[in-house]
Amino acid sequence: MKRNLKVEIFYSFDEENEAERKRRSQMTLEERLKKFEALQERRWGSDWATRPIEKVVSYEKTDW
């Protein structure tokens, strides 16, 4: 399968947020649900929908 990748460089978080908002607004409901499923599976494992999720907080620290 051939994938078309697009790289964009943003000069501010606001500019990036606006581009992401626009991209998401163009997604269909099915595409959004598939994206949600992929994120849940990545974080909680493949059986995330059939077992209780241990509620934990995770964060990332940056130096800027």
Side-chain angles (χ1 to χ4, degrees):
M1 182 170 90
K2 195 172 192 174
R3 293 175 45 180
N4 293 328
L5 300 177
K6 180 180 178 182
V7 176
E8 292 185 63
I9 297 173
F10 301 102
Y11 295 98
S12 70
F13 287 117
D14 290 336
E15 187 180 347
E16 187 272 336
N17 288 338
E18 181 59 28
E20 181 66 7
R21 185 200 63 74
K22 184 186 280 187
R23 183 188 70 80
R24 287 183 180 170
S25 72
Q26 295 171 353
M27 293 172 73
T28 66
L29 178 59
E30 185 176 302
E31 290 171 326
R32 290 179 189 205
L33 289 173
K34 283 183 180 181
K35 180 90 170 178
F36 176 74
E37 180 181 358
L39 293 172
Q40 291 292 89
E41 187 173 327
R42 187 183 309 162
R43 175 61 180 99
W44 304 109
S46 61
D47 62 344
W48 67 271
T50 60
R51 64 175 172 78
I53 295 174
E54 177 186 347
K55 294 179 181 167
V56 296
V57 174
S58 60
Y59 64 94
E60 185 176 323
K61 188 174 182 179
T62 62
D63 56 348
W64 45 268

